[in-house]
Amino acid sequence: MPERLDSLAITSELIRAARALLRWEQRDLARASGVSLPTIKRLEGAPGILAAHSSTVTALRRAFESAGIEFTNGSGPGVRLRAERKSENASDDGGH
């Protein structure tokens, strides 16, 4: 199964969804990934599959995965927080 996820086409919509789950601004993603802020803005501004070098997409994906994001491909591509990340967040806000 990891081979399938590695080949998952990452879209600007998935990037924005992942940032929302983490409550990251574009500058937070830039800092975590080493990808420039103007590049992130450009990539997020165009709908669909990211038009970027594979090294850029890899850097973005690694930053998200390090922060607890999972890229999924059930009935369709998506993102979610790993279970252990969710439980950490639940304890931070009193379990609500």
Side-chain angles (χ1 to χ4, degrees), residues 1-8 61 65 70-77 80:
M1 186 77 173
E3 294 81 27
R4 249 185 117 193
L5 290 179
D6 287 344
S7 65
L8 176 68
R61 184 179 184 125
E65 289 174 343
E70 284 184 62
F71 289 87
T72 64
N73 198 19
S75 60
R80 66 181 179 193

Side-chain angles (χ1 to χ4, degrees), residues 22 63-70 80-85:
L22 295 171
F64 282 129
E65 289 174 343
S66 293
I69 292 292
E70 284 184 62
R80 66 181 179 193
L81 286 171
R82 283 194 304 265
E84 62 269 15
R85 173 75 185 206

Side-chain angles (χ1 to χ4, degrees), residues 15-61:
I15 296 297
R16 288 192 304 272
R19 280 197 310 103
L21 284 171
L22 295 171
R23 297 181 183 210
W24 278 5
E25 294 183 12
Q26 288 174 328
R27 71 172 179 249
D28 299 316
L29 177 55
R31 191 175 307 120
S33 66
V35 174
S36 73
L37 182 57
T39 296
I40 291 170
K41 288 182 179 195
R42 177 181 59 79
L43 293 173
E44 285 193 6
I49 297 172
L50 298 180
H53 294 283
S54 62
S55 60
T56 300
V57 175
T58 298
L60 294 171
R61 184 179 184 125

